[in-house]
Amino acid sequence: MARCDVLIVGAGPAGAVAGTILARAGARVCIVDRATFPRDKLCGDTVNPGTVARLQLLDMAGDLSERSLRVCGMLVTGERGVTVEGRYPDGQYGLAILRRDFDWMLLQHAISAGCEFEPCVTVRRAVIDDRGPTRKVCGVISAAPAGEIEWTAPVTIAADGRHSTLAFSLGLARHPSTPRRWAIGAYYENFRPDEMRAPSIFGEMHIRRGRYVGISPLAGGMTNVCLVRPSQPADAELREPAALLDYELARDPFLRERAAGARRLTPPVVLGPLAVDTTGQSIDGLLTAGDASGFIDPMTGDGLGFAIRGAELAAVSALRSLERGWSGVHADLDEERRHLFRGKWRFNRALRALVTSPRAVEVAAIGARLAPGVLRAVIARAGDCHLVRA
C-alpha cells in the first residue's frame, strides 16, 4: 500500500477536520473508513453556536446553513410540567442538521484539500514496530477478501469513534463501569412542533426519572427523537427498541400529543455504552481524536464541538511529530486537551448529575425565574458562545 505521512482511521468529523488541516499544511493524508459516505449516524443532529463559529474560522462551514435549521436555544422540561427555556445570547444560533449531511460535507472539504479517501476499509489492528527501545505504531492492518492489507505511515490518527478498534486494543481507552447509558434514536415525520414557541426552534431535552428524551426538528419536516437511559447489554427492552421508543413517547404528557400523528421513517438505532474514558497511556506513532480520545455524554449539543476542537489539536500534534519526532508530543497534547476542555468537562458532568434528578430540574426552573441571568450564563456556556465572541 502506498505510503503516506498521516493515516487517519475514521472519516467522521474528527477525521475529516484533522485531515483537512494536515492536507492544507502540505502533509500527504489518507483517510480510511469501514463505511461508504454519505452514511447515517446516530446523533442528536445539532451543532452549537461555538462549533458553527469554529467551522467558519476553519473555512469548513460550506453550505452548512443551507441544509439546516437555526436553533435559537435550549428547552428543558421536567416530569411535572416544569419548563426551563433559554435562548443563546446576542442573537447567536446553533444548527440542526442530519449527521449524514454534516459528515459528508466535512469529508468533502478534506478530499478537496488533498486527502485520499478509501471507504469500505475495516481496520483489524495496529502494526507495531518493537525493534527500538520503545514500541511504535507504524500503520494498520485491514481486512480484505483475499487476506489482509497493510497500511503504513509515520503517524496514525485513530478517529474511529467510541468503540475505537485501535484505542481499545492498545489499552488507550475503556468504557467506565458507570454511568452505563445507551441511546435509542430514530427519525420521524409529522412530529408536531412545540406550538408555544413556534416558529423559533429549540434543542429539546425532556428529563424524566431514569431517562431523558432529546428532540431536534430538522429540515424537510423530519424530527430526530433520541431516548437515553441507563442500561446493560443484556437489557431485554433494548431488544425491542421501536416498542421502547413508542412506549416512552406515548406515556409522556409533554410529548404524547406531539407524537400522536407521527410516523417513524427509520428503524431505531441502538448505541452504547456512551461514555469512553482514556487510560492515560500513549504509544508513539499513534494519536487519537474525536470520541476515541474520550467521550462524556454531553447532553448540550456540544459533542461535535469536542470532536472538531480535538481534531485540531491532533492535527497540530501530528505535524509536530513529523517535523521533530515523538519526544514530548503526547505530553503536550494531553496538556493542551486539559487546558481546552477541562472546564467544559466539569460543566457537562455537573449538568449530567443535575438532570438525573427531576426534582433538581424543578429547582433549576425556580432558580431561572428568580435569577434569569444565571440561566443565560448556563445556556451560553452550554452553547460555547464565548467562541463566537472570540
Side-chain angles (χ1 to χ4, degrees):
M1 185 58 61
R3 184 181 175 88
C4 58
D5 296 317
V6 182
L7 174 65
I8 299 177
V9 180
V17 169
T20 301
I21 294 170
L22 286 161
R24 288 174 178 173
R28 295 173 299 168
V29 182
C30 182
I31 303 174
V32 300
D33 198 288
R34 62 186 175 185
T36 58
F37 280 68
R39 59 93 174 92
D40 294 315
K41 175 75 173 179
L42 176 59
C43 179
D45 288 339
T46 57
V47 187
N48 72 19
T51 304
V52 173
R54 199 67 193 176
L55 288 172
Q56 291 169 342
L57 184 63
L58 291 169
D59 193 23
M60 294 184 68
D63 59 352
L64 186 59
S65 61
E66 298 175 8
R67 302 186 185 189
S68 58
L69 299 178
R70 287 196 176 191
V71 177
C72 63
M74 295 177 64
L75 174 71
V76 180
T77 73
E79 284 191 328
R80 292 188 285 189
V82 174
T83 301
V84 180
E85 174 190 311
R87 292 178 178 266
Y88 295 128
D90 306 322
Q92 296 179 28
Y93 60 89
L95 296 173
I97 180 172
L98 280 168
R99 273 294 298 272
R100 178 184 180 89
D101 295 338
F102 182 75
D103 291 9
W104 179 229
M105 182 198 74
L106 294 184
L107 182 56
Q108 287 177 306
H109 277 287
I111 295 169
S112 296
C115 294
E116 178 185 352
F117 174 55
E118 295 286 346
C120 302
V121 175
T122 301
V123 170
R124 295 301 190 196
R125 62 186 183 276
V127 177
I128 304 294
D129 182 355
D130 54 8
R131 292 172 296 179
T134 59
R135 295 193 311 156
K136 184 176 181 179
V137 172
C138 55
V140 302
I141 297 292
S142 69
E148 294 182 330
I149 298 175
E150 181 172 322
W151 306 70
T152 60
V155 179
T156 300
I157 297 178
D160 48 343
R162 61 175 63 91
H163 293 292
S164 170
T165 297
L166 296 176
F168 277 80
S169 65
L170 293 171
L172 309 182
R174 63 179 179 83
H175 291 299
S177 57
T178 58
R180 302 282 289 190
R181 288 189 174 89
W182 289 64
I184 305 158
Y187 293 105
Y188 290 77
E189 67 176 358
N190 299 325
F191 197 100
R192 285 174 50 189
D194 180 2
E195 296 175 353
M196 294 286 292
R197 293 162 183 84
S200 296
I201 295 173
F202 288 80
E204 302 179 29
M205 192 68 66
H206 304 283
I207 312 301
R208 306 297 182 257
R209 196 170 305 278
R211 66 200 184 279
Y212 63 87
V213 180
I215 305 290
S216 177
L218 296 162
M222 289 197 302
T223 300
N224 177 320
V225 178
C226 189
L227 166 69
V228 178
R229 50 169 283 169
S231 189
Q232 297 295 330
D235 191 333
E237 291 183 317
L238 292 181
R239 300 172 192 166
E240 299 290 341
L244 185 55
L245 267 182
D246 290 344
Y247 171 73
E248 293 293 350
L249 292 173
R251 72 166 173 156
D252 193 286
F254 192 90
L255 298 174
R256 69 164 65 101
E257 290 186 7
R258 295 171 61 188
R263 183 175 73 91
R264 193 167 50 247
L265 296 172
T266 59
V269 176
V270 180
L271 182 67
L274 296 181
V276 177
D277 284 349
T278 58
T279 63
Q281 304 298 312
S282 62
I283 181 170
D284 289 351
L286 181 72
L287 300 166
T288 58
D291 293 350
S293 61
F295 177 81
I296 301 171
D297 177 17
M299 305 179 60
T300 56
D302 57 3
L304 289 169
F306 283 125
I308 289 165
R309 299 300 301 281
E312 293 181 67
L313 297 182
V316 172
S317 295
L319 291 172
R320 289 175 184 163
S321 69
L322 290 171
E323 292 169 0
R324 62 174 189 248
W326 285 94
S327 178
V329 168
H330 289 294
D332 290 346
L333 177 58
D334 288 344
E335 179 56 33
E336 288 162 357
R337 280 177 175 157
R338 283 192 294 269
H339 176 74
L340 187 62
F341 296 142
R342 181 164 44 200
K344 195 61 182 290
W345 286 337
R346 290 172 178 167
F347 174 86
N348 280 352
R349 286 191 179 101
L351 190 61
R352 187 175 62 191
L354 170 71
V355 300
T356 56
S357 167
R359 176 58 180 163
V361 174
E362 296 174 12
V363 172
I366 296 172
R369 289 194 292 268
L370 297 177
V374 174
L375 173 63
R376 285 193 294 269
V378 170
I379 295 299
R381 181 62 170 163
D384 289 327
C385 294
H386 62 287
L387 297 177
V388 181
R389 300 187 185 98

